[in-house]
Amino acid sequence: MAYISAPNPKLPVTTTTAPTTAAACTCPACTGLKCLDRTRYFAGQLLTDGDLNHEQSYLLAKNRLHNRFLHGWGVVCGMQVVCSECDGWVTVKTGYAIDPCGNDIIVCQDYPFNVLKAIQACCKPAQTTSNCSPLRYTPPPPTCQDVSQTWCITIQYQEQQSRMVTPLQQTSSNGSCGTQGQTTMSGGTRASSSSSSSSSSTCGCSSSASQTSSTATTGACEPTRVIEGFQVGVVCEAPATSQTDGPQPGTLEYQICQCVDGLKTLYAQNPLPVGYSPTDQQAYQAVCNYLSTVQNALSDSFVTHCKLESKLADITVPTPPKDPQPDPDPAYIAKLQQVSAKIGETLIAAALDCFCTSLLPPCPPDPCDSRLILACVTVKNGKITNICHFGGGRRQVVTFPALFYWLSLSGLGPGLSDLCCGEEKMRERFLDTTYVYREAFTSTGFSNAAMMNHYVTSYVTQKIGAALTNAAVPTATTVDLRGLVGKNSADVSTALMSYQIATAPLQLKRDGDNNANSNIIVKDISADPAWTDSAVASSKQYAPAAFNITQPLTVYFKGDVAVGFDVTNPTDVLNNQVINLQRQVTALGSQLSQMQKQGAAAQPPGGAVPTTN
């Protein structure tokens, strides 16, 4: 990994290299919450440099605490990466960011950065060094032309000590004020102009980049200023296949999955499934192990109904008969099944507790790296062809100015002005064109508590899944459709018919109702530009995990492969009913016309009607 250090545009630029490795995060850049103490002053107190430095350390720690846990980390404003006049160079615009440790990163003036030089230094490091917390993996050096590579530009907080002065009390040292020696704090590595003070560690395990050394320089001169700056570097973008699927750590989805998924897996491990015929001793041992496993799982802190653990403690597994029989005793197995059912009920209640506690935001995890990704650039034949700020890892801090900036795009201000301050005709036109014909704004919405409860219930059932939903509510008839994403039409039809959702095989490439499946709409999205490759790849995690088989269903196909499922919205249901009525009317009209033709053909010539005496 290559960095171009720039603590201040007026300071000299240095280059260091450190290749990344695939090692796990064994040394976080900064760790969790720490208890703080501040200096108390009193009359007659003897103050030393340690007391004054501690005062600064306390204020810096409070600022980092405030930034990291209240605002989060990422780019606050600015820091756009734009093209430069020189090939291989980019310009980082002025801006402000907060690094994962809470340090303030300020780019006070546009900063030019040589991307190609940094890439070359990263691919061909001068020496092998360790790096235990990389953002990306370093690829082998490029050996061919006409190949596009994507590299991400990072920025990192950095400090430098400067403005050397001679102290009143001299100390023994070989240094002198004329050398203007400086000490650079970079990623926990202390690199001084003196070789004796340099460190071989470059991964940041020993100290944080935001810490200031109190013994940075020993000699006749001491620095009187600490310049807060930044460090720009590059990392190779990881291949798409190496990205982790599912929710990211630190999100609500991730917290729910971490808690609920384990309980769902545990619930599925029924020790006495249907068709299993163990001996009495085997069944006894399986239920005992299951009870012990559940007790260990619920010993975590997410349980809020404290009686759950007491219920588990009160569950006793009956011992098998004293005289073992070669065949299982049906009465004894039935008792064990009742015990297993009680354990399952406890797991369902614990899953609800787990979901509720997941709604409370936890403290953010320890960051493994103190760098921020600003943008990713595409390089080909020694030239930068594209700069992308989205999708490459750039993270934006959501602030009130940022919200105002984003909301200004929707015209919210002028819209409210028309609604609240406009004339009567303007207000009527506003309502007619903006709200009445928008499906997102209905007459019910969340204007009553029942709709909100219905929405919350639907969300919870999707998170805990079909198995726990059916177990918690005996009358529920839900199925998990996520496993059908990526299946062909034949497999999907067979599964839907087994779930009693479909009554016949699905008809593909038809936007509308199937003749035999009045509650299913099949849509071919092959020509829909909204269904991009990334949307199709992530469609499984959006498929219903607890779909009620009595609801209307929409199935999306791309070719012969199912790429998504969704509950049919009321508008499509109504349109579907209209289409059915139109087809019925057309069919009745055809039948009536056919009957008229047949009646006309049966009349005798001349229009005379035969009579009988």
Side-chain angles (χ1 to χ4, degrees):
M1 185 169 303
Y3 291 110
I4 303 298
S5 302
N8 189 294
K10 297 181 180 180
L11 296 179
V13 176
T14 59
T15 305
T16 59
T17 59
T20 59
T21 63
C25 176
T26 57
C27 52
C30 51
T31 55
L33 295 169
K34 296 180 180 179
C35 299
L36 303 177
D37 66 276
R38 64 180 185 270
T39 304
R40 176 186 175 273
Y41 301 101
F42 57 90
Q45 180 181 7
L46 175 62
L47 294 178
T48 65
D49 59 336
D51 296 321
L52 298 178
N53 286 326
H54 177 74
E55 183 75 6
Q56 284 194 353
S57 298
Y58 169 77
L59 294 176
L60 291 174
K62 291 283 284 189
N63 184 64
R64 289 193 294 266
L65 175 69
H66 179 90
N67 286 343
R68 180 182 175 190
F69 289 90
L70 184 61
H71 299 296
W73 59 271
V75 178
V76 177
C77 63
M79 290 195 181
Q80 302 92 342
V81 180
V82 297
C83 301
S84 177
E85 297 179 356
C86 302
D87 291 339
W89 287 71
V90 296
T91 300
V92 179
K93 308 296 288 186
T94 59
Y96 168 55
I98 301 175
D99 79 351
C101 294
N103 297 297
D104 298 317
I105 303 178
I106 301 174
V107 180
C108 55
Q109 65 183 47
D110 293 352
Y111 177 71
F113 177 57
N114 191 338
V115 178
L116 294 184
K117 180 179 178 181
I119 293 175
Q120 293 173 358
C122 187
C123 293
K124 300 178 180 179
Q127 57 183 359
T128 303
T129 56
S130 60
N131 189 337
C132 66
S133 57
L135 282 172
R136 299 287 190 269
Y137 300 110
T138 300
T143 57
C144 55
Q145 296 293 323
D146 300 326
V147 176
S148 297
Q149 291 185 332
T150 302
W151 293 77
C152 295
I153 299 174
T154 64
I155 193 169
Q156 185 179 27
Y157 177 78
Q158 185 187 50
E159 292 181 355
Q160 280 190 351
Q161 297 177 350
S162 65
R163 192 173 295 183
M164 314 297 289
V165 299
T166 303
L168 297 178
Q169 183 179 359
Q170 295 291 336
T171 58
S172 58
S173 173
N174 294 329
S176 63
C177 293
T179 59
Q180 293 293 311
Q182 296 179 349
T183 299
T184 301
M185 299 294 294
S186 171
T189 303
R190 189 173 301 158
S192 174
S193 58
S194 175
S195 60
S196 61
S197 62
S198 63
S199 172
S200 60
S201 174
T202 60
C203 69
C205 296
S206 58
S207 61
S208 172
S210 61
Q211 296 175 348
T212 303
S213 173
S214 59
T215 59
T217 304
T218 58
C221 291
E222 290 288 345
T224 60
R225 293 290 187 270
V226 177
I227 301 177
E228 297 182 348
F230 58 89
Q231 187 183 53
V232 180
V234 294
V235 289
C236 186
E237 184 185 46
T241 56
S242 65
Q243 299 292 338
T244 56
D245 297 329
Q248 297 298 318
T251 62
L252 175 61
E253 294 287 336
Y254 178 83
Q255 197 70 15
I256 293 176
C257 292
Q258 286 289 102
C259 190
V260 176
D261 287 357
L263 295 179
K264 289 194 295 185
T265 303
L266 191 59
Y267 181 84
Q269 298 174 357
N270 186 0
L272 298 176
V274 178
Y276 179 51
S277 300
T279 63
D280 294 343
Q281 184 63 34
Q282 291 176 340
Y284 170 77
Q285 190 63 41
V287 175
C288 287
N289 294 338
Y290 189 57
L291 177 60
S292 177
T293 303
V294 173
Q295 288 176 338
N296 294 333
L298 297 189
S299 62
D300 202 352
S301 59
F302 64 80
V303 175
T304 57
H305 288 74
C306 305
K307 293 183 179 180
L308 291 181
E309 296 184 3
S310 300
K311 287 183 179 181
L312 284 177
D314 294 339
I315 294 178
T316 57
V317 183
T319 57
K322 294 182 179 180
D323 298 330
Q325 301 295 330
D327 297 328
D329 184 1
Y332 177 69
I333 297 298
K335 292 181 180 179
L336 293 182
Q337 290 176 343
Q338 293 177 357
V339 173
S340 179
K342 290 182 179 180
I343 299 174
E345 293 174 359
T346 307
L347 281 175
I348 295 174
L352 296 178
D353 282 358
C354 176
F355 175 84
C356 294
T357 54
S358 297
L359 297 178
L360 304 176
C363 291
D366 295 336
C368 298
D369 205 300
S370 60
R371 289 165 290 182
L372 294 175
I373 293 179
L374 298 181
C376 292
V377 299
T378 302
V379 181
K380 185 176 181 180
N381 294 336
K383 294 184 179 180
I384 298 175
T385 60
N386 185 42
I387 301 175
C388 180
H389 293 84
F390 305 97
R394 181 184 173 105
R395 180 167 172 170
Q396 194 77 29
V397 177
V398 180
T399 61
F400 286 108
L403 286 177
F404 174 80
Y405 181 78
W406 292 327
L407 291 177
S408 64
L409 180 64
S410 62
L412 184 62
L416 292 178
S417 177
D418 293 342
L419 175 64
C420 302
C421 309
E423 298 178 356
E424 184 176 357
K425 293 183 178 180
M426 182 182 296
R427 299 179 71 178
E428 292 178 355
R429 185 175 70 252
F430 178 85
L431 292 176
D432 288 341
T433 58
T434 306
Y435 284 108
V436 175
Y437 300 106
R438 295 287 182 91
E439 295 180 1
F441 299 93
T442 64
S443 59
T444 56
F446 288 148
S447 58
N448 60 78
M451 290 299 298
M452 177 62 75
N453 291 339
H454 180 75
Y455 176 79
V456 172
T457 301
S458 176
Y459 183 80
V460 172
T461 55
Q462 293 302 316
K463 292 305 174 185
I464 66 176
L468 293 183
T469 300
N470 295 335
V473 184
T475 58
T477 54
T478 62
V479 294
D480 191 346
L481 299 180
R482 292 176 298 180
L484 299 182
V485 176
K487 302 291 185 179
N488 57 38
S489 59
D491 294 339
V492 172
S493 299
T494 302
L496 294 182
M497 287 189 290
S498 66
Y499 295 151
Q500 299 180 357
I501 300 177
T503 57
L506 303 182
Q507 300 176 10
L508 301 184
K509 297 183 179 180
R510 185 176 177 185
D511 191 359
D513 178 43
N514 293 293
N515 294 331
N517 298 295
S518 59
N519 64 328
I520 298 180
I521 295 178
V522 177
K523 291 187 176 182
D524 185 4
I525 52 83
S526 300
D528 190 346
W531 284 86
T532 60
D533 293 340
S534 59
V536 173
S538 61
S539 182
K540 184 176 182 179
Q541 61 181 327
Y542 293 101
F547 176 78
N548 192 334
I549 63 175
T550 61
Q551 293 179 306
L553 177 66
T554 299
V555 187
Y556 300 95
F557 279 92
K558 190 172 185 179
D560 190 50
V561 179
V563 296
F565 297 87
D566 195 8
V567 179
T568 308
N569 63 62
T571 302
D572 286 344
V573 172
L574 182 60
N575 292 335
N576 192 30
Q577 294 174 353
V578 172
I579 293 175
N580 287 337
L581 290 176
Q582 291 176 346
R583 290 174 179 172
Q584 293 176 8
V585 170
T586 303
L588 290 175
S590 300
Q591 293 178 4
L592 181 60
S593 177
Q594 187 68 23
M595 292 175 62
Q596 292 175 348
K597 292 180 180 179
Q598 293 177 356
Q603 291 182 357
V609 179
T611 58
T612 58
N613 294 327

